């Protein structure tokens, strides 16, 4: 009965909503993303929406600030939302840079008071990286507003971190814009909620104003795009994870693609600790004879996250799944390719924070050309990686079991404190 209930609840999870006729361009790192964004912003006529986890006070951040200010000076409506934790180190600088410019800055769950650190809801962060210009161009991926050779904890880097984004045109841009607008509005209301309520009560048409406000807050839903897959290229879908209607949409997109894999599954993520359903999908694919390869971080930035991934190595290796660790630089990419025809690029890691807590966004593409580009990038990264070839190298026996149990317990406690429910 419990399994039946789980299956029914799984089928209630929204699927990606695909649209055809899109233009999709793979962008490698900030070195390619930032110039493309700034060119689009320089050509903006009406509005710019930007959402990011980190907006840092380095050369990349200063250059983008200049582009945003220039757009606002031309009369373009510019709205920026940053995460209160991810951008905490640069928030004073960013506020000063945008003061008086016409750019409206909102902070998602600010960490400006000591008591905010005690609120469990603060564990749910804005981790999306979105930029939309005039509703015509969009950029979605895993790249924060920080130079490829700069790290918050390690300073200047010897080599650029590995990361990706997609440049988009076509119908898929509309839900990206709606998502960016919704998260900005939520953050803005969090700051000025009292004034908004007062204006709403005093309004001569409070019901109509409330409806307009709800539309601004609403994330794109499952009925707002074409659902068929027999669509002209490039066939793409914008998928997000929120804490409302689409809690597991990104996870479902991954799992269904892996379950349907016939030849290969290649997955890149820096933080890897998937839930039961995700692990079963990977193990099931390997059991069917599908080549499954995971590219994970070799240069560790957070030791606890690395320990969580290592706790799964023995089981995965023993079932025939290939594990590689990227050692050329820090790994920040979140991408996957299945059978050379399905690909995803976005902000979501494969861990509890991304799959169950944070606001995340990915783009899923069903197109051999785009998937081929992502696959080629994967192979290039693989050449700079170390193969973990023997499960004995990662520990077995009682010590490995205890380590895995400790990680599972820590994940369970963290999710419950944050208010996440359901099996993981």
């Amino acid at each position: 009965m419990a399994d039946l209930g789980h299956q029914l609840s799984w089928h209630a999870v929204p699927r990606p909503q695909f649209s055809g006729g899109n233009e999709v361009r793979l962008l490698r790192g900030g070195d390619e993303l930032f110039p493309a964004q700034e060119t689009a912003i320089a050509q903006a006529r009406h509005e710019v929406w930007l959402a990011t986890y980190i907006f840092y006070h380095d050369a990349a951040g200063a250059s983008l600030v200049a582009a945003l200010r220039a757009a606002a000076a031309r009369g373009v409506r510019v709205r920026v939302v940053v995460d209160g934790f991810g951008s905490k180190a640069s928030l004073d600088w960013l506020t000063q840079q945008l003061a008086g410019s016409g750019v409206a800055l909102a902070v998602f769950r600010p960490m400006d008071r000591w008591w905010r650190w005690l609120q469990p809801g603060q564990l749910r962060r804005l981790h999306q990286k979105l930029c939309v210009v005039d509703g015509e161009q969009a950029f979605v991926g895993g790249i924060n507003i920080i130079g490829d050779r700069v790290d918050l904890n390690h300073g200047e880097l010897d080599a650029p971190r590995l990361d990706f984004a997609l440049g988009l045109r076509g119908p898929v841009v509309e839900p990206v814009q709606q998502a960016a607008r919704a998260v900005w509005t939520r953050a803005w209301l969090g700051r000025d909620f009292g004034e908004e309520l007062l204006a709403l009560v005093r309004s001569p048409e409070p019901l109509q104003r409330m409806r307009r406000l709800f539309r601004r807050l609403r994330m794109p839903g499952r009925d707002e795009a074409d659902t068929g897959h027999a669509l002209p290229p490039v066939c793409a879908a914008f998928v997000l994870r929120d804490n409302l209607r689409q809690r597991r949409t990104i996870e479902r997109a991954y799992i269904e693609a892996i379950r349907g894999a016939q030849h290969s599954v290649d997955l890149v993520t820096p933080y890897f600790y998937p839930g039961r359903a995700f692990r079963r999908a990977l193990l099931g694919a390997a059991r069917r004879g599908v080549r499954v390869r995971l590219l994970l971080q070799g240069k560790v930035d957070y030791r606890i996250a690395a320990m969580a991934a290592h706790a799964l190595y023995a089981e995965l290796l023993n079932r025939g799944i290939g594990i590689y660790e990227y050692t050329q630089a820090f790994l920040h990419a979140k991408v996957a390719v299945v059978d050379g025809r399905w690909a995803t690029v976005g902000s979501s890691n494969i861990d509890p924070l991304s799959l169950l807590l944070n606001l995340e966004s990915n783009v899923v593409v069903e197109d051999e050309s785009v998937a081929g580009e992502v696959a080629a990038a994967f192979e290039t990264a693989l050449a700079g990686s170390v193969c973990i070839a023997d499960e004995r190298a990662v520990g077995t026996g009682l010590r490995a079991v205890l380590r895995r149990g400790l990680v599972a317990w820590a994940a369970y406690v963290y999710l419950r404190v944050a208010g996440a429910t359901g099996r993981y």
Side-chain angles (χ1 to χ4, degrees):
M1 184 64 69
D3 287 342
L4 177 60
H6 178 66
Q7 291 174 11
L8 291 175
S9 65
W10 179 256
H11 286 292
V13 176
R15 282 186 168 92
Q17 306 299 302
F18 287 86
S19 63
N22 296 290
E23 178 184 317
V24 179
R25 179 163 56 115
L26 182 65
L27 300 167
R28 297 164 176 81
D31 286 350
E32 292 188 6
L33 172 64
F34 301 148
Q37 281 183 328
E38 291 175 19
T39 297
I41 293 169
Q43 298 170 352
R45 305 181 307 278
H46 307 296
E47 60 183 9
V48 174
W49 298 90
L50 190 144
T52 186
Y53 179 65
I54 297 173
F55 200 128
Y56 194 57
H57 54 275
D58 63 350
S63 183
L64 189 58
V65 162
L68 295 170
R69 288 178 60 98
R74 299 194 310 271
V76 175
R77 185 184 187 212
V78 182
R79 300 291 183 264
V80 176
V81 56
V82 301
D83 184 75
F85 181 78
S87 296
K88 189 176 186 299
S90 299
L91 199 52
D92 289 344
W93 169 84
L94 185 59
T95 302
Q96 294 171 4
Q97 290 293 310
L98 297 179
S101 68
V103 177
L105 173 66
V107 180
F108 184 84
R109 291 185 173 157
M111 305 296 290
D112 55 349
R113 301 288 187 275
W114 68 266
W115 46 265
R116 294 191 189 275
W117 294 87
L118 305 178
Q119 298 174 316
Q122 295 287 3
L123 298 174
R124 301 169 181 259
R125 308 310 313 182
L126 165 64
H127 199 240
Q128 298 168 331
K129 290 86 178 177
L130 310 173
C131 179
V132 188
V133 177
D134 288 342
E136 298 173 356
Q137 296 186 66
F139 302 90
V140 179
I143 303 173
N144 288 295
I145 310 302
I146 183 172
D148 291 338
R149 296 161 185 82
V150 179
D151 185 84
L152 291 180
N153 298 316
H154 301 87
E156 293 292 330
L157 303 176
D158 295 330
R161 73 175 60 81
L162 183 66
D163 213 344
F164 298 95
L166 295 176
L168 308 167
R169 287 181 180 269
V172 74
V173 171
E174 183 178 353
V176 181
Q177 176 171 269
Q178 188 176 343
R181 184 171 62 236
V183 73
W184 183 89
T185 302
R186 289 181 187 180
W188 188 261
L189 289 181
R191 190 182 80 170
D192 297 319
F193 193 64
E195 293 181 11
E196 286 282 343
L197 281 180
L198 188 61
L200 186 64
V201 171
R202 291 176 175 174
S203 171
E205 298 177 333
L207 183 58
Q208 289 82 351
R209 184 163 181 166
M210 183 174 289
R211 285 173 177 168
R212 289 195 298 270
L213 180 60
F214 177 75
R215 285 196 296 269
R216 288 166 58 195
L217 287 168
R218 203 159 57 98
M219 292 288 189
R222 59 190 304 176
D223 58 346
E224 295 173 10
D226 299 331
T227 58
H229 287 213
L231 297 165
V234 169
C235 187
F238 175 70
V239 290
L240 56 82
R241 205 220 76 81
D242 62 21
N243 291 300
L244 299 172
R245 297 180 302 161
Q246 304 192 76
R247 291 174 178 267
R248 307 193 84 142
T249 305
I250 293 177
E251 183 183 23
R252 176 170 187 161
Y254 267 105
I255 291 174
E256 291 200 337
I258 295 168
R259 285 176 176 171
Q262 297 179 354
H263 308 293
S264 62
V265 173
D266 293 326
L267 189 152
V268 186
T269 182
Y271 309 124
F272 181 78
Y273 191 75
R276 301 179 191 177
F278 205 116
R279 291 202 301 271
R280 282 198 296 264
L282 289 171
L283 296 172
R287 188 166 53 247
R288 296 194 310 272
V290 174
R291 183 194 66 192
V292 180
R293 298 183 294 180
L294 309 178
L295 179 57
L296 310 178
Q297 61 175 332
K299 295 189 67 173
V300 175
D301 50 2
Y302 296 105
R303 190 168 298 279
I304 293 178
M307 186 175 74
H310 290 167
L312 302 177
Y313 275 19
E315 177 190 15
L316 298 172
L317 290 168
N318 189 50
R319 302 291 184 87
I321 293 176
I323 300 177
Y324 300 81
E325 292 183 343
Y326 186 70
T327 56
Q328 296 298 299
F330 284 111
L331 172 67
H332 195 255
K334 301 103 163 105
V335 305
V337 187
V338 176
D339 288 346
R341 58 172 180 79
W342 182 101
T344 186
V345 177
S347 68
S348 182
N349 294 295
I350 310 301
D351 71 346
L353 272 69
S354 282
L355 296 179
L356 293 179
L357 294 179
N358 293 338
L359 300 185
E360 305 282 2
S361 56
N362 279 40
V363 170
V364 176
V365 179
E366 291 190 345
D367 180 85
E368 290 186 1
S369 177
V370 175
E373 272 196 86
V374 179
F378 178 90
E379 296 295 342
T380 300
L382 207 65
S385 305
V386 173
C387 177
I388 308 300
D390 190 343
E391 64 270 19
R392 289 173 296 181
V394 298
T396 56
L398 180 60
R399 183 175 181 179
V401 171
L402 291 176
R403 183 170 60 180
R404 182 167 176 174
L406 175 63
V407 170
W409 175 82
Y412 174 86
V413 171
Y414 189 92
L415 290 172
R416 293 305 177 269
V417 170
T421 58
R423 294 162 56 180
Y424 187 75

